[in-house]
Amino acid sequence: MGNYHLYNPLRPMIALVDCNSFYACCEQVFRPDLLGKPVVVLSNNDGCVIAANKEAKAITDIPMFEPVFKIKDQLIAHKVNFFSSNYTLYGEMSQRVMNILGTFSPNVEVYSIDEAFADFSGMKNVSLKNYGHEIKDTIFKNTGLPVGVGIAPSKGLAKLANKMSKKIAENNHVCVIDSEEKRIEALKWCKIGDVWGIGRKHAERLKNIGVFDAFQFTQLPLQWVRKEMTVVGERTWRELRGEPCNEFITQPPPKKGIGTAKSFGIKLPDLERIEEACAYYISEVSEVLRAQKSCATYVQVFIITNYHSNVDQQYSNSRTVTLEVPTNDTFKIISAARKALVEIYKPGYRYKKVGVNLTGIIPQDYVQGNLFHQPSKLNNPKLIETFDAINRKFGKATISSGLVGTRINEWELIKKERSPRYTTQWGELLRVNSKSSNSKFQKC
């Protein structure tokens, strides 16, 4: 095969900054009394574990996405503190981290809510390890969130360096792969199943041919990797050898489909409250649609009962409606969705979930009119802009369609208390609730 790898210590470096146990740590930031204590965050409807801090993981092996009812007694016995998910809080804390990271690099790619790549091109005569510690310390000082920093010549190696920054205590949450020796050492340390870009099935296939770590993977012939693992596997192979293949995406492409489907806190038998929930969810996805300056051509609505119930009759259905003119107007989409919901709703069932999907998404500047469609006098873009501005300032659903009604808490996600929105509500910041989260959980 020859000496194919293109690793070059002088190549511009890439950093991956990843928040540790992000959701759980966000909760701890505003609850200092929980520092050093086990914290777990639960999914919508408090159904599954979606985050656990290091203290919780140290006490007992908590599988991610494990249904809570299976481990409830175990968690309570270990005095684990529980929080229902608060995505408004997590989103705002994430934005703070990304803004700070932007002061250290002109090119930042937000990879997920809790991690981002930073381009260090053009940096000369800079100690990358010291720079990584400066990033880590600044983020912690300004947000209270601990992060890990991995720096390497490619995204794949940066991901590996980030993992080593957390798993190896001597690294103190910062790891730099800036030499051939460090690259080989890191590859031999990483198990094949932990390589970014290699899924479970490919990992099993590789183990069957004697490949158990990342270094052994990089020694495979390129032709075999390309044939057996397609272009994705080849890209991973090259990245681990120090050749950047994944470009920076500082501006994510517009979404081609936007939707939401959330379980109710209680089962709903009547159409009226299901319509309220549907209208509320449409308000959410319409805001996302407007934020990316797009319009939807189709709206799909679906309803389902609880298929895990042994006592309820089961039913599900969906309907897709073509809008007369592609739009991002909340009220027009709600009107179309209501018609679809009436068609698929059947009385006599207790419904667990309603969902909406917006598809056929196009840029709002390319919307073509309809010769047979008469614009409504109520079609006022300024009104929608005002709605969005008020909700951004005072919080989600501060102002919404009258159809949403005043009973949101009866069906929205779950009947529970979430962590306060400290980042937007100063009144909540002054009213720190000292009650134990466990008492809330036990009532569920």
Side-chain angles (χ1 to χ4, degrees), residues 6-185:
L6 301 178
Y7 182 83
N8 181 357
L10 300 179
R11 177 176 291 122
M13 304 289 273
I14 297 170
L16 175 65
V17 179
D18 181 20
C19 299
N20 304 340
S21 305
F22 180 60
Y23 291 171
C25 287
C26 283
E27 301 292 353
Q28 287 180 297
V29 167
F30 298 101
R31 286 285 304 273
D33 58 306
L34 295 180
L35 293 177
K37 298 180 180 179
V39 174
V40 161
V41 176
L42 309 176
S43 64
N44 291 342
N45 255 357
D46 287 352
C48 303
V49 174
I50 59 173
N53 67 353
K54 62 181 181 180
E55 288 82 8
K57 294 175 181 177
I59 290 176
T60 180
D61 184 20
I62 302 176
M64 290 299 100
F65 310 110
E66 180 77 3
V68 176
F69 72 88
K70 292 184 178 181
I71 57 175
K72 175 180 176 181
D73 295 337
Q74 178 186 8
L75 296 179
I76 292 177
H78 286 91
K79 298 182 180 180
V80 177
N81 297 273
F82 301 92
F83 283 93
S84 300
S85 51
N86 185 349
Y87 297 112
T88 301
L89 174 67
Y90 308 150
E92 292 177 352
M93 293 298 287
S94 172
Q95 189 60 54
R96 292 184 180 192
V97 172
M98 303 309 167
N99 289 343
I100 294 170
L101 191 54
T103 65
F104 288 91
S105 171
N107 296 318
V108 175
E109 177 185 339
V110 179
Y111 185 68
S112 68
I113 191 172
D114 64 342
E115 59 184 328
F117 291 101
D119 184 9
F120 287 171
S121 298
M123 290 189 179
K124 298 180 180 179
N125 302 320
V126 174
S127 169
L128 292 177
K129 192 171 186 65
N130 291 341
Y131 202 59
H133 279 288
E134 185 179 350
I135 292 173
K136 174 179 71 73
D137 295 341
T138 302
I139 292 175
F140 184 78
K141 177 182 177 181
N142 294 347
T143 68
L145 296 173
V147 301
V149 182
I151 304 174
S154 68
K155 285 184 176 180
L157 286 174
K159 192 83 171 179
L160 174 53
N162 183 275
K163 184 182 292 289
M164 296 177 68
S165 75
K166 299 177 181 180
K167 297 294 184 180
I168 302 176
E170 306 89 80
N171 287 327
N172 192 21
H173 297 280
V174 176
C175 178
V176 181
I177 300 177
D178 57 358
S179 70
E180 184 68 3
E181 293 74 20
K182 291 182 180 180
R183 182 185 75 90
I184 294 175
E185 180 183 356

Side-chain angles (χ1 to χ4, degrees), residues 217-232:
F217 173 66
T218 60
Q219 301 308 299
L220 290 174
L222 175 59
Q223 293 78 5
W224 185 93
V225 175
R226 183 181 295 160
K227 178 181 178 182
E228 301 296 331
M229 302 179 65
T230 70
V231 67
V232 177

Side-chain angles (χ1 to χ4, degrees), residues 384-396 398-399:
I384 300 297
E385 290 178 10
T386 303
F387 270 42
D388 290 343
I390 292 174
N391 288 334
R392 281 194 299 269
K393 183 173 182 179
F394 297 103
K396 183 174 66 173
T398 298
I399 183 170

Side-chain angles (χ1 to χ4, degrees), residues 152 205 231 352:
R205 291 182 62 197
V231 67
K352 180 65 175 175

